[in-house]
Amino acid sequence: MSQNASNPFIDSVDKKRGGNGNPDNSRQMDVTAQEIDRGIKGKAREKKEIKDYIEKCLEDARKFLLEGDTNKSCEIAFDILKDKNVEKHLGEGSIYVLPAYLVLAESYIHEGYKIEIKLRKAEEYLIAASYNFLKYDQPESKGQDNEPERLEITQEEYVNFKTALHKIFSKLFLAQGNYTKSLDELKQAIYFESLKFGPETIQVSVSYYQMGNIFAHKKSYIEADTFYFKAAEIWYKYFKKQFHENENLYIDVILIREAQTMLIDIEAYFRKRDFQNRRTVIKAYHRICVALAFLYRYQNDENRYYDFVERIINEYVAISPDHPQIARIKELFGLE
């Protein structure tokens, strides 16, 4: 048989597929493969767009929560959970909606401190978030047969979700007065955060502040002093270093808002603390005020910036008008 002769069996199969039994079919197959590839890439792009949309909404929700507007934060979280496009592209119960449950839980904790009915609602949302997370007990898990394919998650995302759950459970247990469980959950969060960022970083500082809150509620003030000071000192060292080395400093919007709330609370705590000797707290108060001054400098809030510089100067003046720290503070902020 000639090499160029056609094979009747192959020709018949090819015709059933819509071919014409000649080499031009390969080009049609190439076109089909390209269309499939474009379709796959298009779906991946749509999934990424939905994921980015969720992240932007959650950032807005967190901003409202930090401002105390829990109605708005809950509204945004509910919109994410009810969004049909999210379910269509990411699958039912996608892990990427887990933070929406956490926003709802934290909002109810914020609203219902010591109010049982609000805390029960917060607990329900945390249980829903936990159930959502447990379905992804392995990174890069896939959807089951006949389910929309789930968006793969990385190991880093997996740990981030796990850490966030520990932190909000800690807040819930604190609001319920269960200090032991609150500490246990927060220790887990700090462990994972420290592995990722390092134990002395601004990203972990908010958890040290939360640790201080737990001990303050327990009336264990020595431990509370230690953790509050640790949280503030991290920002003091960070700002002091960055403002001398990095002119184009940028800090995550949510993180800087958390830092502002945290440092204001810590400053008020140390200012009101009934210390027998004010000199014992001056170092801590010094660094808290310096950190706040730098923070407001970063935010271009000149009035508050100078307010906290003056507060710490006045603390040293009260000890001695010629205290050597006064000149050092003025030099640090370029006031001479």
PDB file of all heavy atoms in Angstrom, residues 305-322:
ATOM      1  N   TYR A 305       0.772  65.454  65.991  1.00  0.00           N
ATOM      2  CA  TYR A 305       2.204  65.157  66.029  1.00  0.00           C
ATOM      3  C   TYR A 305       2.885  65.989  67.121  1.00  0.00           C
ATOM      4  O   TYR A 305       3.559  65.452  68.011  1.00  0.00           O
ATOM      5  CB  TYR A 305       2.807  65.449  64.652  1.00  0.00           C
ATOM      6  CG  TYR A 305       4.314  65.555  64.607  1.00  0.00           C
ATOM      7  CD1 TYR A 305       5.122  64.464  64.891  1.00  0.00           C
ATOM      8  CD2 TYR A 305       4.927  66.758  64.257  1.00  0.00           C
ATOM      9  CE1 TYR A 305       6.508  64.559  64.831  1.00  0.00           C
ATOM     10  CE2 TYR A 305       6.304  66.868  64.192  1.00  0.00           C
ATOM     11  CZ  TYR A 305       7.094  65.769  64.478  1.00  0.00           C
ATOM     12  OH  TYR A 305       8.455  65.866  64.414  1.00  0.00           O
ATOM     13  N   TYR A 306       2.691  67.298  67.100  1.00  0.00           N
ATOM     14  CA  TYR A 306       3.324  68.168  68.095  1.00  0.00           C
ATOM     15  C   TYR A 306       2.723  67.963  69.485  1.00  0.00           C
ATOM     16  O   TYR A 306       3.412  68.132  70.497  1.00  0.00           O
ATOM     17  CB  TYR A 306       3.204  69.639  67.686  1.00  0.00           C
ATOM     18  CG  TYR A 306       4.178  70.011  66.597  1.00  0.00           C
ATOM     19  CD1 TYR A 306       3.733  70.378  65.328  1.00  0.00           C
ATOM     20  CD2 TYR A 306       5.547  69.983  66.824  1.00  0.00           C
ATOM     21  CE1 TYR A 306       4.640  70.715  64.324  1.00  0.00           C
ATOM     22  CE2 TYR A 306       6.463  70.313  65.829  1.00  0.00           C
ATOM     23  CZ  TYR A 306       5.996  70.674  64.580  1.00  0.00           C
ATOM     24  OH  TYR A 306       6.887  70.993  63.592  1.00  0.00           O
ATOM     25  N   ASP A 307       1.439  67.584  69.538  1.00  0.00           N
ATOM     26  CA  ASP A 307       0.792  67.346  70.825  1.00  0.00           C
ATOM     27  C   ASP A 307       1.514  66.247  71.603  1.00  0.00           C
ATOM     28  O   ASP A 307       1.797  66.397  72.798  1.00  0.00           O
ATOM     29  CB  ASP A 307      -0.673  66.959  70.606  1.00  0.00           C
ATOM     30  CG  ASP A 307      -1.377  66.595  71.908  1.00  0.00           C
ATOM     31  OD1 ASP A 307      -1.195  67.302  72.903  1.00  0.00           O
ATOM     32  OD2 ASP A 307      -2.100  65.579  71.925  1.00  0.00           O
ATOM     33  N   PHE A 308       1.847  65.136  70.927  1.00  0.00           N
ATOM     34  CA  PHE A 308       2.496  64.020  71.630  1.00  0.00           C
ATOM     35  C   PHE A 308       3.974  64.286  71.887  1.00  0.00           C
ATOM     36  O   PHE A 308       4.525  63.786  72.877  1.00  0.00           O
ATOM     37  CB  PHE A 308       2.284  62.715  70.860  1.00  0.00           C
ATOM     38  CG  PHE A 308       0.926  62.131  71.099  1.00  0.00           C
ATOM     39  CD1 PHE A 308      -0.105  62.333  70.200  1.00  0.00           C
ATOM     40  CD2 PHE A 308       0.661  61.427  72.264  1.00  0.00           C
ATOM     41  CE1 PHE A 308      -1.374  61.810  70.438  1.00  0.00           C
ATOM     42  CE2 PHE A 308      -0.594  60.902  72.517  1.00  0.00           C
ATOM     43  CZ  PHE A 308      -1.625  61.093  71.598  1.00  0.00           C
ATOM     44  N   VAL A 309       4.608  65.085  71.052  1.00  0.00           N
ATOM     45  CA  VAL A 309       5.982  65.500  71.356  1.00  0.00           C
ATOM     46  C   VAL A 309       5.988  66.333  72.641  1.00  0.00           C
ATOM     47  O   VAL A 309       6.825  66.140  73.533  1.00  0.00           O
ATOM     48  CB  VAL A 309       6.592  66.304  70.187  1.00  0.00           C
ATOM     49  CG1 VAL A 309       7.956  66.870  70.593  1.00  0.00           C
ATOM     50  CG2 VAL A 309       6.737  65.433  68.949  1.00  0.00           C
ATOM     51  N   GLU A 310       5.030  67.253  72.764  1.00  0.00           N
ATOM     52  CA  GLU A 310       4.941  68.102  73.958  1.00  0.00           C
ATOM     53  C   GLU A 310       4.598  67.295  75.201  1.00  0.00           C
ATOM     54  O   GLU A 310       5.090  67.582  76.294  1.00  0.00           O
ATOM     55  CB  GLU A 310       3.897  69.192  73.740  1.00  0.00           C
ATOM     56  CG  GLU A 310       4.342  70.270  72.745  1.00  0.00           C
ATOM     57  CD  GLU A 310       3.266  71.311  72.517  1.00  0.00           C
ATOM     58  OE1 GLU A 310       2.223  71.248  73.208  1.00  0.00           O
ATOM     59  OE2 GLU A 310       3.464  72.179  71.637  1.00  0.00           O
ATOM     60  N   ARG A 311       3.755  66.274  75.039  1.00  0.00           N
ATOM     61  CA  ARG A 311       3.371  65.459  76.203  1.00  0.00           C
ATOM     62  C   ARG A 311       4.587  64.800  76.846  1.00  0.00           C
ATOM     63  O   ARG A 311       4.725  64.807  78.073  1.00  0.00           O
ATOM     64  CB  ARG A 311       2.365  64.378  75.787  1.00  0.00           C
ATOM     65  CG  ARG A 311       0.981  64.889  75.510  1.00  0.00           C
ATOM     66  CD  ARG A 311      -0.002  63.736  75.380  1.00  0.00           C
ATOM     67  NE  ARG A 311      -1.242  64.172  74.751  1.00  0.00           N
ATOM     68  CZ  ARG A 311      -2.346  63.452  74.685  1.00  0.00           C
ATOM     69  NH1 ARG A 311      -2.352  62.236  75.217  1.00  0.00           N
ATOM     70  NH2 ARG A 311      -3.420  63.894  74.090  1.00  0.00           N
ATOM     71  N   ILE A 312       5.445  64.223  76.030  1.00  0.00           N
ATOM     72  CA  ILE A 312       6.591  63.530  76.607  1.00  0.00           C
ATOM     73  C   ILE A 312       7.608  64.530  77.158  1.00  0.00           C
ATOM     74  O   ILE A 312       8.242  64.290  78.193  1.00  0.00           O
ATOM     75  CB  ILE A 312       7.233  62.549  75.589  1.00  0.00           C
ATOM     76  CG1 ILE A 312       8.279  61.689  76.284  1.00  0.00           C
ATOM     77  CG2 ILE A 312       7.807  63.272  74.399  1.00  0.00           C
ATOM     78  CD1 ILE A 312       7.779  60.887  77.447  1.00  0.00           C
ATOM     79  N   ILE A 313       7.759  65.666  76.491  1.00  0.00           N
ATOM     80  CA  ILE A 313       8.664  66.692  77.025  1.00  0.00           C
ATOM     81  C   ILE A 313       8.164  67.160  78.395  1.00  0.00           C
ATOM     82  O   ILE A 313       8.949  67.308  79.344  1.00  0.00           O
ATOM     83  CB  ILE A 313       8.779  67.881  76.049  1.00  0.00           C
ATOM     84  CG1 ILE A 313       9.592  67.447  74.806  1.00  0.00           C
ATOM     85  CG2 ILE A 313       9.440  69.084  76.725  1.00  0.00           C
ATOM     86  CD1 ILE A 313       9.666  68.519  73.730  1.00  0.00           C
ATOM     87  N   ASN A 314       6.864  67.372  78.499  1.00  0.00           N
ATOM     88  CA  ASN A 314       6.289  67.836  79.767  1.00  0.00           C
ATOM     89  C   ASN A 314       6.450  66.804  80.884  1.00  0.00           C
ATOM     90  O   ASN A 314       6.590  67.168  82.060  1.00  0.00           O
ATOM     91  CB  ASN A 314       4.808  68.177  79.589  1.00  0.00           C
ATOM     92  CG  ASN A 314       4.601  69.417  78.742  1.00  0.00           C
ATOM     93  OD1 ASN A 314       5.508  70.259  78.626  1.00  0.00           O
ATOM     94  ND2 ASN A 314       3.430  69.547  78.135  1.00  0.00           N
ATOM     95  N   GLU A 315       6.425  65.509  80.530  1.00  0.00           N
ATOM     96  CA  GLU A 315       6.646  64.459  81.525  1.00  0.00           C
ATOM     97  C   GLU A 315       8.037  64.598  82.144  1.00  0.00           C
ATOM     98  O   GLU A 315       8.209  64.473  83.353  1.00  0.00           O
ATOM     99  CB  GLU A 315       6.489  63.077  80.895  1.00  0.00           C
ATOM    100  CG  GLU A 315       5.058  62.633  80.675  1.00  0.00           C
ATOM    101  CD  GLU A 315       4.342  62.274  81.973  1.00  0.00           C
ATOM    102  OE1 GLU A 315       5.005  61.795  82.916  1.00  0.00           O
ATOM    103  OE2 GLU A 315       3.115  62.495  82.043  1.00  0.00           O
ATOM    104  N   TYR A 316       9.039  64.866  81.293  1.00  0.00           N
ATOM    105  CA  TYR A 316      10.411  65.001  81.795  1.00  0.00           C
ATOM    106  C   TYR A 316      10.602  66.328  82.526  1.00  0.00           C
ATOM    107  O   TYR A 316      11.334  66.399  83.517  1.00  0.00           O
ATOM    108  CB  TYR A 316      11.417  64.866  80.650  1.00  0.00           C
ATOM    109  CG  TYR A 316      11.610  63.434  80.202  1.00  0.00           C
ATOM    110  CD1 TYR A 316      11.207  63.022  78.947  1.00  0.00           C
ATOM    111  CD2 TYR A 316      12.194  62.492  81.057  1.00  0.00           C
ATOM    112  CE1 TYR A 316      11.365  61.705  78.532  1.00  0.00           C
ATOM    113  CE2 TYR A 316      12.360  61.175  80.661  1.00  0.00           C
ATOM    114  CZ  TYR A 316      11.947  60.780  79.406  1.00  0.00           C
ATOM    115  OH  TYR A 316      12.107  59.473  79.002  1.00  0.00           O
ATOM    116  N   VAL A 317       9.922  67.362  82.067  1.00  0.00           N
ATOM    117  CA  VAL A 317      10.000  68.662  82.757  1.00  0.00           C
ATOM    118  C   VAL A 317       9.455  68.533  84.173  1.00  0.00           C
ATOM    119  O   VAL A 317       9.987  69.146  85.120  1.00  0.00           O
ATOM    120  CB  VAL A 317       9.228  69.750  81.977  1.00  0.00           C
ATOM    121  CG1 VAL A 317       9.051  71.012  82.829  1.00  0.00           C
ATOM    122  CG2 VAL A 317       9.950  70.081  80.666  1.00  0.00           C
ATOM    123  N   ALA A 318       8.395  67.725  84.350  1.00  0.00           N
ATOM    124  CA  ALA A 318       7.810  67.516  85.676  1.00  0.00           C
ATOM    125  C   ALA A 318       8.789  66.836  86.622  1.00  0.00           C
ATOM    126  O   ALA A 318       8.747  67.053  87.839  1.00  0.00           O
ATOM    127  CB  ALA A 318       6.533  66.678  85.558  1.00  0.00           C
ATOM    128  N   ILE A 319       9.695  66.015  86.053  1.00  0.00           N
ATOM    129  CA  ILE A 319      10.725  65.378  86.873  1.00  0.00           C
ATOM    130  C   ILE A 319      11.849  66.358  87.169  1.00  0.00           C
ATOM    131  O   ILE A 319      12.281  66.506  88.315  1.00  0.00           O
ATOM    132  CB  ILE A 319      11.292  64.123  86.161  1.00  0.00           C
ATOM    133  CG1 ILE A 319      10.188  63.072  86.006  1.00  0.00           C
ATOM    134  CG2 ILE A 319      12.484  63.543  86.911  1.00  0.00           C
ATOM    135  CD1 ILE A 319      10.583  61.883  85.166  1.00  0.00           C
ATOM    136  N   SER A 320      12.300  67.049  86.115  1.00  0.00           N
ATOM    137  CA  SER A 320      13.353  68.066  86.259  1.00  0.00           C
ATOM    138  C   SER A 320      13.383  68.933  84.999  1.00  0.00           C
ATOM    139  O   SER A 320      13.442  68.386  83.890  1.00  0.00           O
ATOM    140  CB  SER A 320      14.720  67.407  86.456  1.00  0.00           C
ATOM    141  OG  SER A 320      15.745  68.376  86.349  1.00  0.00           O
ATOM    142  N   PRO A 321      13.342  70.250  85.143  1.00  0.00           N
ATOM    143  CA  PRO A 321      13.385  71.143  83.975  1.00  0.00           C
ATOM    144  C   PRO A 321      14.660  70.968  83.150  1.00  0.00           C
ATOM    145  O   PRO A 321      14.679  71.316  81.963  1.00  0.00           O
ATOM    146  CB  PRO A 321      13.320  72.545  84.592  1.00  0.00           C
ATOM    147  CG  PRO A 321      12.690  72.338  85.929  1.00  0.00           C
ATOM    148  CD  PRO A 321      13.160  71.001  86.396  1.00  0.00           C
ATOM    149  N   ASP A 322      15.696  70.427  83.754  1.00  0.00           N
ATOM    150  CA  ASP A 322      16.970  70.234  83.049  1.00  0.00           C
ATOM    151  C   ASP A 322      17.228  68.767  82.711  1.00  0.00           C
ATOM    152  O   ASP A 322      18.376  68.369  82.481  1.00  0.00           O
ATOM    153  CB  ASP A 322      18.126  70.772  83.913  1.00  0.00           C
ATOM    154  CG  ASP A 322      17.973  72.250  84.211  1.00  0.00           C
ATOM    155  OD1 ASP A 322      17.566  72.987  83.292  1.00  0.00           O
ATOM    156  OD2 ASP A 322      18.252  72.649  85.358  1.00  0.00           O
TER     157      ASP A 322
END
